Amino acid sequence: MVEKVAADAVESVGEKATLELLDRAVAGMGGQSRAGQHEMAKHVTRAIENGEHLLVQAGTGTGKSLAYLIPLIAHSMDSDKPTLVSTATLALQTQIVGRDLPRLLETINPALERPVNVALVKGRANYVCLQKLEGGFPSEEPSEGQLFSLGEDTSVPHFAASMGGPQSQLGKEVVRLREWAEKTATGDRDELMPGVTDRAWRQVSVTSMECLGAQKCPLAEECFSELARARAAEADVVVTNHAMLAVSAFEGLAVLPEYDVVVVDEAHELQDRVTGAVTGQLSVAMVHAAASSARKHTAITVDALNAASDRLDMAIAGVPNGLLPSGLNDEQLDCLDQLRDATRAALSDSKTDASNAADGGRQLARSRLMLILELCERMLAAKENREVVWFSRNSTFDPQQGYSQPDDTAPALINIAPLSVAGRLREGLFAGHTVVLTSATLAIGSAFEPAAGGLGLIGDGAPSWTGIDVGSPFDYPKQGVLYVAKHLPKPGRGTSPEALDELEDLIRASGGGALCLFSSRRAAEEAADAMRLRLDVDILCQGESTMAALVKQFADEPDTCLFGTMSLWQGVDVPGGSCRLVVIDRIPFPRPDDPLMTARSRAVAQSGGNGFMAVSATHAAIRLAQGAGRLIRSTGDKGVVAVLDSRLSTERYGGFLRAALPPFWATTDRSVVRGVLERLGSARKA
């Protein structure tokens, strides 16, 4: 009992200090303290002090960034290791480093014992490579480089001054990049304004595999990426992203400094982002390109590589797209085994020595061979390691339809991904660290188990954790209405005429101001075209301009509507009357032919669970909540979330999905929701 009292006393002191610092920060930044923010800050402090994992659902408007940054900063004052913040997107990463932390530190620095040192860590390809700028890497054909997801186009165009400089848009971008590289202090792509295309950026950057390494690169001491990592090692708070967290957890590579506490923001994205970061793809064209590069830059014989590639080509010719429930067949495995041996031999033959230690061409070729070797070894051990394998093909653009269509005649691609990332996250992330996961959509109803299970926090040997919901400052029943168009037919292929009529009726009643979210790009474009013919309001559609420009115009013009897909489901923050209607065309279930989701559903069913509910319904619930969350972004917002998928009301799983949504006032009465929208539209014009 004495130990318990003592622990509580220390804990209370820590919490009190955190809350005092939080109040100081909020007041200094011109805001108001919120109960949910205080509650979250206390629990984060408690988790850090006790070394316990914590899941926190904090609704929009809670101020969760401050609620976790202040406990992290307080902890970093006494820790000999940096604390970590991980985000799903580079955009939020940049926001925290460029806006949130500077404003926060300006207000609380006088109360701290010393200044706080903040560092930003991104993947190597986000920084300019000085060695590449100096011509240390060869020029190659883009078609070859683009076959490699880790390398892509590595060529650096050389422009003759006598020709008056570059004439192409790409050439002009590269020249501007070179000029910027001479002045930048960080080499970070996000600091380049205006930005450049991905193709141009590839001319001046390298991936981690292509990098010569600190021991070989003659410019290692000046390397922007190495300098960023050095700063991170000395920092108090390091901001990174989920992809880097995945590489650290799965590969065991020292891409991040050794840390003791990490806050995972946008944690609802962690499982998918980690899965995406470790998903691999192998093609025959990749092997031919690697062989060509090896022959050109290392002068080795590549006959064995090409022979293995040709044999693999025959073994996978004509295979249908989709999941391989039993894995690759014996012939395909034999081909991969032969390819692995040939690749390993090529790597051995192309080893560097003292005379070519800084040979960029050799390193480029070897990086491509290493990638193929890694993929072959993963695919040969897929069953043993519980990885999922499937075939796919690239799509081609159909100019008549205006959409990308699956091309069944294209060469097959072999894909591989973990069936589950839970075990590896448990070992690489949760073991040895204190982890706080937070998001506005982390629980379904009051249950955190669906999210926790996918991250390795459920099952035998799982670490203990606590889940809390600190609520939201918004009065959802008074501010928002959830309307489900129960009378519409069950969604099929494409958008039904009835759904288009419903969409027209809703937008007409609101007078515009609608954010319309669709399950596919094609559906968004078809609906936008139809509404432009029917309505006298401006309709913007994703793909017609940059996302930032579209969102800005939507926010600036209260009666304009914006149509788009998943990136809008999670990336739009438009408070006020410009977004008074959010329309969701259908429940965002994963595609029925999604190989990884199918495999995960089958695995749950084989273990006695409900695969549909555990995988597809959980996936849909979180994304539905993200989409609905676009409506209420401030205490003054009012509006309607309209779901044009009747299954949300008619199917048994509808209640499970609705439990993930904010507690809006709900109705299926079309006339009622029309009246609400008409009043909102009239109030805006008054």
Side-chain angles (χ1 to χ4, degrees):
M1 180 64 69
V2 173
E3 291 182 4
K4 181 72 166 62
V5 171
D8 285 346
V10 173
E11 177 181 295
S12 298
V13 169
E15 291 175 20
K16 181 179 179 182
T18 296
L19 295 181
E20 288 175 352
L21 206 56
L22 175 60
D23 288 339
R24 179 188 183 112
V26 171
M29 296 166 69
Q32 293 182 338
S33 296
R34 303 183 179 98
Q37 191 178 48
H38 270 225
E39 189 72 10
M40 179 174 174
K42 285 197 298 184
H43 278 87
V44 173
T45 302
R46 193 175 303 166
I48 293 173
E49 290 179 345
N50 297 338
E52 298 174 347
H53 303 309
L54 175 68
L55 279 68
V56 186
Q57 177 160 286
T60 304
T62 303
K64 61 184 172 66
S65 294
L66 288 185
Y68 66 69
L69 285 173
I70 286 177
L72 277 186
I73 290 169
H75 173 71
S76 71
M77 294 289 98
D78 299 320
S79 176
D80 58 355
K81 297 178 182 178
T83 57
L84 216 64
V85 176
S86 178
T87 70
T89 59
L90 290 176
L92 180 56
Q93 187 182 21
T94 302
Q95 174 188 312
I96 290 173
V97 173
R99 190 189 73 181
D100 295 352
L101 270 170
R103 293 179 61 205
L104 169 60
L105 293 176
E106 185 178 354
T107 64
I108 66 171
N109 265 335
L112 300 176
E113 58 191 57
R114 59 178 174 80
V116 177
N117 185 5
V118 177
L120 178 66
V121 173
K122 301 179 181 180
R124 192 174 293 275
N126 291 282
Y127 301 93
V128 164
C129 172
L130 296 175
Q131 176 69 0
K132 196 165 190 176
L133 281 175
E134 292 294 323
F137 285 81
S139 175
E140 300 204 23
E141 292 298 321
S143 59
E144 176 181 326
Q146 288 170 354
L147 296 169
F148 288 80
S149 60
L150 291 181
E152 300 184 284
D153 183 5
T154 58
S155 60
V156 180
H158 298 281
F159 304 109
S162 60
M163 298 299 292
Q167 300 302 312
S168 69
Q169 182 61 36
L170 174 63
K172 293 175 182 178
E173 286 187 323
V174 173
V175 167
R176 184 160 64 87
L177 276 169
R178 289 176 174 274
E179 294 172 348
W180 170 76
E182 294 178 357
K183 299 178 289 186
T184 177
T186 66
D188 185 340
R189 180 180 182 176
D190 282 342
E191 293 189 6
L192 176 65
M193 293 294 174
V196 295
T197 61
D198 289 345
R199 188 182 177 200
W201 183 255
R202 285 194 294 266
Q203 318 303 313
V204 298
S205 63
V206 297
T207 67
S208 57
M209 275 192 173
E210 295 167 345
C211 176
L212 294 173
Q215 299 301 316
K216 297 178 182 178
C217 182
L219 297 176
E221 292 185 1
E222 306 168 50
C223 173
F224 291 122
S225 179
E226 292 296 323
L227 290 172
R229 281 162 174 71
R231 287 191 292 270
E234 301 297 323
D236 298 303
V237 178
V238 175
V239 184
T240 188
N241 56 69
H242 295 353
M244 296 291 286
L245 207 61
V247 172
S248 176
F250 273 71
E251 308 298 336
L253 301 178
V255 294
L256 296 172
E258 190 175 345
Y259 61 93
D260 57 352
V261 177
V262 56
V263 172
V264 180
D265 203 342
E266 301 178 307
H268 65 281
E269 286 279 336
L270 182 60
Q271 183 181 11
D272 287 347
R273 296 282 175 160
V274 169
T275 300
V278 297
T279 295
Q281 189 176 79
L282 177 66
S283 71
V284 170
M286 282 175 62
V287 183
H288 282 308
S292 174
S293 183
R295 184 184 65 251
K296 179 178 180 181
H297 300 301
T298 71
I300 65 171
T301 299
V302 294
D303 292 346
L305 265 177
N306 284 325
S309 177
D310 291 341
R311 187 181 172 204
L312 179 62
D313 193 16
M314 290 187 289
I316 64 175
V319 296
N321 290 344
L323 175 68
L324 302 177
S326 301
L328 296 161
N329 63 34
D330 290 342
E331 179 187 6
Q332 293 159 351
L333 289 172
D334 285 344
C335 291
L336 286 173
D337 191 44
Q338 179 184 345
L339 178 59
R340 176 181 62 179
D341 291 344
T343 306
R344 187 178 286 136
L347 280 166
S348 179
D349 293 343
S350 63
K351 282 182 178 177
T352 60
D353 55 36
S355 64
N356 56 33
D359 185 343
R362 184 178 297 270
Q363 181 63 25
L364 175 66
R366 285 177 56 81
S367 74
R368 295 176 172 183
L369 292 171
M370 286 187 286
L371 175 59
I372 291 171
L373 177 61
E374 175 192 312
L375 289 169
C376 287
E377 291 182 335
R378 282 182 66 184
M379 291 173 182
L380 287 167
K383 284 187 179 180
E384 177 185 345
N385 295 331
R386 299 192 75 216
E387 294 212 85
V388 178
V389 181
W390 70 94
F391 288 118
S392 66
R393 286 172 172 80
N394 289 327
S395 299
T396 57
F397 184 74
D398 185 337
Q400 291 185 335
Q401 295 292 329
Y403 308 110
S404 292
Q405 302 287 347
D407 185 355
D408 294 333
T409 65
L413 309 172
I414 313 174
N415 306 268
I416 186 166
L419 177 63
S420 170
V421 297
R424 298 296 291 274
L425 285 176
R426 184 186 298 180
E427 297 171 6
L429 177 62
F430 292 101
H433 307 120
T434 298
V435 184
V436 175
L437 302 115
T438 185
S439 168
T441 53
L442 202 54
I444 299 176
S446 59
F448 288 88
E449 284 75 12
L455 298 175
L457 294 174
I458 301 289
D460 294 339
S464 61
W465 56 276
T466 301
I468 62 164
D469 186 343
V470 299
S472 168
F474 304 147
D475 189 344
Y476 282 112
K478 292 184 178 180
Q479 290 184 248
V481 174
L482 172 64
Y483 166 61
V484 181
K486 187 177 179 180
H487 60 283
L488 291 181
K490 181 179 176 180
R493 290 180 62 87
T495 305
S496 70
E498 295 89 346
L500 288 175
D501 290 343
E502 188 78 15
L503 179 61
E504 176 191 355
D505 200 44
L506 292 169
I507 296 176
R508 192 180 297 279
S510 69
L515 176 65
C516 301
L517 307 174
F518 295 85
S519 54
S520 72
R521 181 75 166 266
R522 182 171 187 168
E525 291 173 350
E526 288 181 344
D529 289 342
M531 293 305 106
R532 283 167 177 155
L533 295 175
R534 302 186 187 194
L535 297 168
D536 188 24
V537 295
D538 287 336
I539 307 288
L540 309 176
C541 191
Q542 186 177 347
E544 296 174 345
S545 183
T546 66
M547 188 65 69
L550 289 172
V551 173
K552 184 177 187 305
Q553 185 177 349
F554 175 60
D556 291 345
E557 301 173 2
D559 295 336
T560 292
C561 300
L562 176 57
F563 288 41
T565 57
M566 186 58 71
S567 54
L568 292 178
W569 286 63
Q570 303 183 78
V572 177
D573 185 5
V574 178
S578 291
C579 185
R580 52 190 181 272
L581 170 63
V582 172
V583 180
I584 297 173
D585 73 328
R586 64 177 66 203
I587 298 169
F589 289 120
R591 289 170 54 99
D593 59 352
D594 184 303
L596 191 53
M597 290 295 188
T598 299
R600 287 175 172 172
S601 294
R602 290 179 180 178
V604 172
Q606 288 168 2
S607 64
N610 185 322
F612 170 76
M613 294 301 295
V615 179
S616 294
T618 297
H619 175 278
I622 296 299
R623 277 148 188 78
L624 193 64
Q626 283 286 317
R630 301 308 97 200
L631 181 68
I632 306 300
R633 310 299 295 179
S634 71
T635 54
D637 288 353
K638 292 184 178 180
V640 172
V641 172
V643 180
L644 307 186
D645 190 333
S646 56
R647 294 174 295 176
L648 193 60
S649 283
T650 60
E651 297 293 340
R652 292 177 61 185
Y653 54 74
F656 175 81
L657 299 177
R658 292 194 302 273
L661 299 176
F664 297 121
W665 185 81
T667 183
T668 58
D669 190 321
R670 184 181 185 182
S671 61
V672 169
V673 82
R674 283 188 60 184
V676 170
L677 289 170
E678 287 170 355
R679 288 192 294 275
L680 287 171
S682 298
R684 192 203 65 75
K685 295 177 180 178

